[in-house]
Amino acid sequence: MPPARPGSSIPLDDEDYPAYTMGRAADMLGATPAFLRALGEHRLITPLRSEGGHRRYSRYQLRIATRARELVDQGTPIEAACRIIILEDQLEEAQRINEQLRAGGAGRPEASG
């Protein structure tokens, strides 16, 4: 993680800024560090590393981990929870692109004759 430059502010409003240590992130989620490591092993979230090699999590990653925790708490195996979240994200992105194409008229096939 790059050090803050003199005169620069810490990006407190940046959702992707890796502000939380593993211990703090686990506390916030009410989970264990092992749960967060498992999410990384299943490639749901990939925390950034500090210069010392410690995992650091962003608010965006914590929201994803919260969703995974909800699914696991409902009895979904962690592997399945990670896959569900990945598929939900892919569906949301596809729907967003579809809506953009409809709004802009791009991608409409031309009538052939």
Side-chain angles (χ1 to χ4, degrees):
M1 196 163 38
R5 287 174 284 165
S8 70
S9 62
I10 296 174
L12 297 175
D13 59 346
D14 183 351
E15 296 259 317
D16 295 316
Y17 184 74
Y20 303 98
T21 63
M22 176 181 275
R24 178 70 180 127
D27 286 345
M28 292 170 69
L29 294 172
T32 64
F35 178 77
L36 289 171
R37 282 192 294 274
L39 296 181
E41 290 168 10
H42 292 291
R43 297 191 172 118
L44 181 62
I45 56 176
T46 304
L48 291 175
R49 299 281 183 148
S50 68
E51 288 181 19
H54 300 283
R55 290 174 180 90
R56 305 284 295 195
Y57 296 88
S58 69
R59 287 193 325 239
Y60 175 74
Q61 290 172 325
L62 293 183
R63 276 200 311 278
I64 293 170
T66 298
R67 175 72 176 125
R69 173 75 197 266
E70 291 168 356
L71 290 169
V72 169
D73 286 350
Q74 294 170 5
T76 305
I78 195 163
E79 301 85 12
C82 291
R83 187 68 182 139
I84 288 167
I85 294 166
I86 290 167
L87 290 170
E88 287 174 342
D89 186 55
Q90 289 172 346
L91 176 60
E92 184 179 312
E93 177 69 5
Q95 288 172 330
R96 185 188 62 75
I97 291 168
N98 192 19
E99 197 57 40
Q100 285 178 341
L101 291 173
R102 286 182 185 177
R108 269 193 208 139
E110 296 293 323
S112 57

